[in-house]
Amino acid sequence: MKTRTLTWCAAALLGATIAGPAQADTWALLVGVSKYESPSIKSLTYPAVDATSLSEALIDPQLGGQQADHIKLLVDGQATKANITGAVDAFLKSGVKKGDQVIVFLAGHGVTKGVGLDARSYFLPTDTKGVTVPALESSALDLKILSRQLSQLPASQFVVFVDACREDPTPGRGIKGNTLSNVMSRNVTVVPQDPSARSATYFACAVGQRAFEDERFKHGVFTHFILEGVRKAAVPDPQGNVDLSRLSTFVNAEVSKWARETSQSGAFEVEQTPELIAAEQLQGPIIFMQVKRPVMGEPVQPQAPRVTVGTLPEGAQVTINGKRLGAGTVSDRVPRAGEYTIRVEAPGYAPAERAVRLQDGYEHQLLVQLEPGGAKVESSLHKGQAAEARGEHATAASEYDAAIAADPASPAGYERRSSLYQRQGKSLDSLRVLLRMLKETPKSAHGYALLSRAYSNYALKEQDLKKRAEAGNEKSDSGGGSVLDKIKNPFGKKPKKPSGQDKDGSTDKRPAGAFREPENAETAAALGLKAAELAEALDEQSAEAQVARGFALMASDYSGDGKQNVLDALDQGRTLRSDDAETHWAAGYGRRYYAAFAKGKAGNERQVRDAIAAQEQALKLRPNYYEAHLELAYCYHLLGDRSQARRHYEQANACRADARDADEVAGANVALAALYGEEAKSTKGQESKQLDAASKGYEEDATAISPNLDRAVGILVRHGLGGRLQGFLPTNAAGVLDRMRSRIGLPSFPGVPGLPGLPIPGVGRIRL
């Protein structure tokens, strides 16, 4: 058994079995890349076979029954970037007419690069020059651009199948994975121009998983069972219609069974869970093809539908048919297909209701945008959000500024502008926008809570910068004491609240505590607490206000003496909004943060396990929650559970589209390098070599994300993982850790006896 990188197919309805023009045609572009010209890209085994087999199934008179001249097959040496893009521009655009169906199948390597708003995903043609960003931009297919081109075709229906078998495309990386990222899952989406057209995406695995090949099948596992379903299984109905929802039910069951059996007989656990996702809602079933073969037994019955709702602004409250699901993005499986009413609410916006039809067998992913009122504001917000989705950040910022100018009293433009700055890692700029919002818009608990969190984020970031500066000889904007001083006096003095004096000693004419740009981290923490208190005064039942108060208290607590007040505030927020994933994340974050101050091994471990329980609850409410997976990875790493730590670092790495700090994502890859290095030292022979190669591969990925590994390693050290990293990192990252240790003046990074990775007060907690 091997793993493979990417096979995805954007497929439309096959056969003339849906309502529409009598002469509707099916057009197919099938691409399979097993062999690569560049020695820097690992060749694969079955992509060309998969593409060819699908072509045969489409043409087979007993199966698809399609015209051979409507199917273009490009495999290996034919599958160049020029040929693929030429086929889209000429073969599809010139042939597809309104009402037709389209299938595009791409099999080969897929790569994701970048973090957050800058993340991009690529499909690698046979002549791709390499996997560096410049090489990909010049010679690979940007999947977002390709999906946009497909969306412009006048077809009646599109379906995207993603057989994402994620073997690392770089040779010499052992068993290192290359899991399906949420960057790729979001980019490979065909949204037809015609609102009545149908579109869905069927992924071979979930985000954070790898899809596999099996030499017994001579195919990717996912593709093998698709072909089995079409050729042999009781998937078609009595009329021979292969409904995609029934096909997916069969494939999901078979792939899951294969994964269980492979895990039981193999050296490592295999997880592969196919997912069929509809783009918005479907008006009816999708018939994959109409077969003429005999069908034995009762047709497979599809599963009940699942719905995932994202909101703009993020975190708005979602209900479905009166059932409160929590703050978006949320996911729920409804009992049956049918009409459902989704209601979304957020402070400062008019509630929105949307009627949707959910189909059995699909996950429906919907985005509901609340309107602030005013045509000019709404228009600018829509344009800004569209530009943000395309990665055009400057255009998005300009549109949000236009929304603010159109109605300075509406908070919507300020919130989007502030959120954009946060996603770009610009905490001070985000804070400035919220300060202006506070001045221009009606006061609200929500507004003060946002301001409080912005102050706390700034304070914690400034603390990081100061201590990283001391450890790495870098400059910080705000100056500050040395890390060595903090270690000599780990409990230090509590920071003073801001006075009426400026840094130069002159008198500030503004009242003490007036909201303004902070002079330093201590001032920001104090102002954050004041904003949280005002939010609480306006709404005692505001979970946002309680969470904001908890983080403001945390940002001003250097000694750990304020632990109980912090946890009480975070727990109150969780009690008030137990259906909001962020409140569980916050409560878990606080417990992991303060684990260092618990007494003894048992107390430390109990705090970490309480943190794990909170984060697991957050993931139940919000699948693929980047921050929750990262916190779980830290917790399990602290406890020495290598398997679970690797799993959640990989999940966080796969959800990097939601990350705001590239150094943090690089740190996750450094941690994976250490975990694989540790595993390599506990094994022998070829397995040890494979693990060691994977360790070096993760270090290379970390360096590609953030060349200055001092910051990535420093993030892990600040979370108390210095002891867990020591002795297991590849050469470059190990050198960074050694330099950091010598600058701090310690012979080694300490841990608690029995829990080697757990920090001790004032040392492991240092925010390097």
Side-chain angles (χ1 to χ4, degrees), residues 495-514 516 519-520 522-524 526-527:
K496 296 179 180 179
K497 289 194 174 183
S499 67
Q501 282 194 329
D502 287 338
K503 289 186 289 186
D504 61 3
S506 62
T507 302
D508 186 346
K509 302 301 182 184
R510 296 165 295 189
R516 60 188 186 276
E519 293 87 354
N520 49 44
E522 290 78 11
T523 301
L527 292 174

Side-chain angles (χ1 to χ4, degrees), residues 398-420:
S398 178
E399 292 294 345
Y400 296 146
D401 288 341
I404 294 171
D407 186 359
S410 171
Y414 299 101
E415 288 189 33
R416 291 306 310 156
R417 190 71 169 95
S418 174
S419 175
L420 179 60

Side-chain angles (χ1 to χ4, degrees), residues 507-546:
T507 302
D508 186 346
K509 302 301 182 184
R510 296 165 295 189
F515 294 117
R516 60 188 186 276
E517 290 185 25
E519 293 87 354
N520 49 44
E522 290 78 11
T523 301
L527 292 174
L529 182 58
K530 181 177 179 64
E533 290 170 346
L534 289 173
E536 188 177 7
L538 287 173
D539 185 356
E540 293 180 351
Q541 299 303 306
S542 169
E544 272 189 303
Q546 294 298 329

Side-chain angles (χ1 to χ4, degrees), residues 123-171:
F123 174 79
L124 276 55
T126 187
D127 57 343
T128 304
K129 304 304 180 186
V131 293
T132 64
V133 171
L136 293 170
E137 289 178 345
S138 65
S139 60
L141 294 176
D142 186 313
L143 290 178
K144 180 177 285 189
I145 294 174
L146 181 62
S147 296
R148 193 181 307 149
Q149 292 171 332
L150 295 174
S151 298
Q152 294 169 356
L153 297 172
S156 64
Q157 190 160 337
F158 301 86
V159 179
V160 178
F161 287 94
V162 182
D163 188 352
C165 307
R166 302 284 306 196
E167 184 175 277
D168 193 292
T170 305

Side-chain angles (χ1 to χ4, degrees), residues 674 721-729 737-738 741 747-750:
L721 291 165
R724 283 288 179 195
L725 303 177
Q726 230 169 246
F728 303 121
L729 288 172
L737 190 66
D738 290 341
R741 185 180 64 219
S748 64
F749 284 105

Side-chain angles (χ1 to χ4, degrees), residues 261-543:
E261 293 175 349
T262 303
S263 296
Q264 293 170 0
S265 61
F268 60 95
E269 185 176 359
V270 172
E271 286 184 296
Q272 186 172 343
T273 310
E275 293 184 341
L276 177 61
I277 299 174
E280 294 295 314
Q281 58 180 316
L282 299 175
Q283 299 302 320
I286 297 176
I287 308 304
F288 180 52
M289 63 173 65
Q290 188 177 43
V291 301
K292 297 180 181 179
R293 67 174 176 81
V295 179
M296 304 297 294
E298 293 294 323
V300 173
Q301 295 303 312
Q303 293 180 322
R306 176 178 288 277
V307 60
T308 298
V309 182
T311 67
L312 288 175
E314 294 93 342
Q317 301 303 314
V318 180
T319 60
I320 297 182
N321 280 10
K323 176 184 176 182
R324 185 181 288 272
L325 296 185
T329 301
V330 294
S331 185
D332 188 44
R333 188 174 294 282
V334 298
R336 63 188 64 85
E339 293 281 350
Y340 289 83
T341 299
I342 298 175
R343 182 178 175 86
V344 178
E345 302 171 274
Y349 296 82
E353 284 195 355
R354 181 173 175 183
V356 298
R357 175 175 292 277
L358 305 181
Q359 299 285 339
D360 283 336
Y362 295 86
E363 176 176 333
H364 298 258
Q365 292 190 346
L366 308 172
L367 179 66
V368 180
Q369 180 164 333
L370 295 176
E371 308 297 354
K376 290 184 178 180
V377 175
E378 292 176 11
S379 176
S380 293
L381 288 177
H382 281 293
K383 290 178 181 177
Q385 185 59 37
E388 196 171 336
R390 295 193 301 268
E392 299 170 0
H393 308 154
T395 300
S398 178
E399 292 294 345
Y400 296 146
D401 288 341
I404 294 171
D407 186 359
S410 171
Y414 299 101
E415 288 189 33
R416 291 306 310 156
R417 190 71 169 95
S418 174
S419 175
L420 179 60
Y421 275 134
Q422 287 180 3
R423 295 176 69 188
Q424 293 172 311
K426 299 177 180 180
S427 58
L428 183 57
D429 288 323
S430 174
L431 176 57
R432 286 168 177 156
V433 173
L434 293 177
L435 286 170
R436 184 181 171 193
M437 183 182 79
L438 180 69
K439 180 180 178 181
E440 300 290 344
T441 66
K443 306 300 184 288
S444 68
H446 174 65
Y448 278 121
L450 286 176
L451 181 64
S452 175
R453 290 293 295 275
Y455 273 126
S456 298
N457 289 341
Y458 176 82
L460 292 171
K461 183 175 181 179
E462 281 299 296
Q463 292 171 21
D464 284 351
L465 287 173
K466 286 193 293 186
K467 297 180 178 78
R468 287 180 191 173
E470 293 297 328
N473 293 333
E474 300 169 3
K475 291 184 178 180
S476 168
D477 293 336
S478 55
S482 73
V483 174
L484 190 57
D485 289 340
K486 291 290 181 185
I487 291 177
K488 290 178 179 177
N489 183 20
F491 293 97
K493 294 181 179 180
K494 293 183 180 179
K496 296 179 180 179
K497 289 194 174 183
S499 67
Q501 282 194 329
D502 287 338
K503 289 186 289 186
D504 61 3
S506 62
T507 302
D508 186 346
K509 302 301 182 184
R510 296 165 295 189
F515 294 117
R516 60 188 186 276
E517 290 185 25
E519 293 87 354
N520 49 44
E522 290 78 11
T523 301
L527 292 174
L529 182 58
K530 181 177 179 64
E533 290 170 346
L534 289 173
E536 188 177 7
L538 287 173
D539 185 356
E540 293 180 351
Q541 299 303 306
S542 169

